[in-house]
């Protein structure tokens, strides 16, 4: 496993949720954290005595601003050893309320934000012939889920991106990891209406992500109880997969209805 003492870890989406928890986990291992988020107020949480965490405000959808933020932080911390593209948004995009603006917003953050993050660090990693790119995808990448078309598409794009880059960069000393967790209870997922019993708490989920990064796994998906189900949905013939996805949708709707009644 990687020794992170003194290593520089870039984390986008670091002001809350998984990004914030990963920053604390890596900091506890002695890493130097370069934390980026568009939420300036959220980044203030690091001003409570946490050592070796440096912050910059930038939106991952703005490639020029993101490059500038990374350059500024590297001027303080030194070169980025590991870049974790954690910034993302979860937003339902049901067919009955389809709006291109909503779909584009999800794709801009979840997919193009990853592209921009990689852009900000890849040239330096290639020059040094070392580095680790980590992309937080989702089990929703396995198959388009009802009401979550944009989110599923954005995460599927992340998986394809990682598969391509991992092969290309292997001979340049740069590792690429794609991590696909299930639903995690964070501010991002709070508005999706997913029953609490179907979501993991952020701390244990982040611990599993942290372990996957330390071991430089090429691909990691969890929890297994959900991962096998979405894998099955992807592997089945389309009519059968659609039928099962429809059953899952009806189940979620029933759980949401019961929750609303109480």
């Amino acid at each position: 496993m990687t020794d992170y003492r003194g290593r520089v870890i870039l984390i986008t989406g670091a002001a809350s949720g998984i990004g914030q928890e990963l920053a604390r986990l890596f900091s506890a291992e002695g890493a130097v954290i370069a934390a980026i988020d568009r939420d300036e107020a959220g980044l203030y949480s690091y001003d409570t005595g946490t050592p070796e965490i440096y912050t910059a405000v930038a939106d991952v959808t703005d490639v020029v601003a993101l490059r500038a933020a990374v350059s500024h932080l590297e001027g303080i911390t030194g070169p980025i050893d590991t870049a974790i593209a954690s910034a993302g948004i979860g937003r339902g995009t049901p067919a009955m309320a389809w709006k291109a603006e909503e779909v584009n917003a999800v794709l801009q953050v979840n997919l193009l934000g990853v592209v921009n993050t990689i852009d900000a660090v890849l040239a330096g990693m290639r020059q040094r012939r070392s580095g680790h790119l980590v992309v937080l995808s989702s089990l929703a990448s396995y198959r388009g889920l009802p009401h979550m078309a944009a989110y599923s598409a954005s995460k599927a794009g992340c998986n394809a991106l990682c598969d391509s880059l991992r092969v290309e960069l292997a001979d340049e000393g740069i590792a690429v990891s794609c991590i696909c967790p299930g639903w995690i209870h964070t501010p991002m997922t709070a508005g999706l209406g997913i029953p609490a019993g179907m979501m993991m708490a952020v701390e244990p989920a982040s611990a599993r992500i942290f372990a996957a990064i330390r071991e430089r796994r090429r691909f990691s998906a969890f929890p297994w109880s959900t991962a096998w189900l979405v894998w099955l949905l992807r592997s089945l013939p389309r009519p059968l997969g659609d039928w099962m996805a429809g059953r899952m949708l009806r189940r979620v709707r029933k759980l949401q209805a019961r929750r609303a009644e109480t």
Side-chain angles (χ1 to χ4, degrees):
M1 292 189 292
T2 306
D3 181 357
Y4 284 102
R5 285 175 294 182
R7 291 180 177 265
V8 182
I9 314 294
L10 171 70
I11 304 176
T12 64
S16 64
I18 297 170
Q20 185 179 63
E21 186 64 20
L22 288 176
R24 300 196 189 284
L25 289 170
F26 278 107
S27 179
E29 292 290 309
V32 179
I33 307 300
I36 291 179
D37 203 291
R38 65 181 181 181
D39 178 9
E40 185 173 6
L43 291 175
Y44 285 153
S45 65
Y46 295 116
D47 296 334
T48 57
T50 308
E52 296 293 328
I53 295 184
Y54 302 91
T55 65
V57 178
D59 189 326
V60 295
T61 67
D62 185 340
V63 66
V64 175
L66 188 58
R67 286 172 182 160
V70 171
S71 179
H72 167 73
L73 288 171
E74 284 190 311
I76 301 170
T77 65
I80 302 297
D81 294 297
T82 299
I84 304 173
S86 176
I89 58 174
R91 187 177 297 174
T93 51
M96 299 306 175
W98 190 263
K99 291 185 179 180
E101 293 85 353
E102 295 291 321
V103 175
N104 290 339
V106 174
L107 295 174
Q108 284 285 338
V109 176
N110 292 359
L111 180 55
L112 297 184
V114 171
V115 172
N116 294 342
T117 301
I118 293 171
D119 173 274
V121 300
L122 184 55
M125 289 182 176
R126 291 189 63 212
Q127 185 176 22
R128 296 185 298 274
R129 297 190 65 79
S130 68
H132 188 188
L133 299 173
V134 180
V135 175
L136 293 193
S137 184
S138 168
L139 290 181
S141 65
Y142 280 42
R143 176 200 158 95
L145 299 178
H147 286 199
M148 300 295 294
Y151 186 81
S152 296
S154 70
K155 295 303 185 178
C158 286
N159 290 17
L161 197 70
C162 289
D163 286 343
S164 296
L165 293 176
R166 186 170 55 249
V167 175
E168 289 189 62
L169 297 174
D171 292 336
E172 299 199 38
I174 300 170
V176 179
S177 297
C178 182
I179 303 176
C180 293
W183 297 116
I184 300 172
H185 195 278
T186 67
M188 185 190 79
T189 59
L192 294 179
I194 300 169
M198 297 179 65
M199 294 194 286
M200 294 181 67
V202 68
E203 291 81 5
S206 298
R208 296 185 70 162
I209 294 169
F210 175 72
I213 296 171
R214 287 197 70 174
E215 296 170 12
R216 294 202 168 201
R217 297 180 200 166
R218 298 183 180 190
F219 183 84
S220 178
F222 68 90
W224 178 243
S225 59
T226 307
W228 79 266
L229 180 58
V230 292
W231 177 85
L232 179 63
L233 283 173
R234 182 183 65 180
S235 304
L236 289 171
R238 284 289 190 276
L240 186 54
D242 289 350
W243 177 77
M244 287 188 65
R247 284 194 64 187
M248 290 172 61
L249 175 62
R250 289 188 290 274
R251 181 188 173 199
V252 169
R253 284 174 174 169
K254 287 181 180 178
L255 290 171
Q256 289 172 341
R258 290 174 188 168
R259 184 181 177 186
E261 289 175 359
T262 58

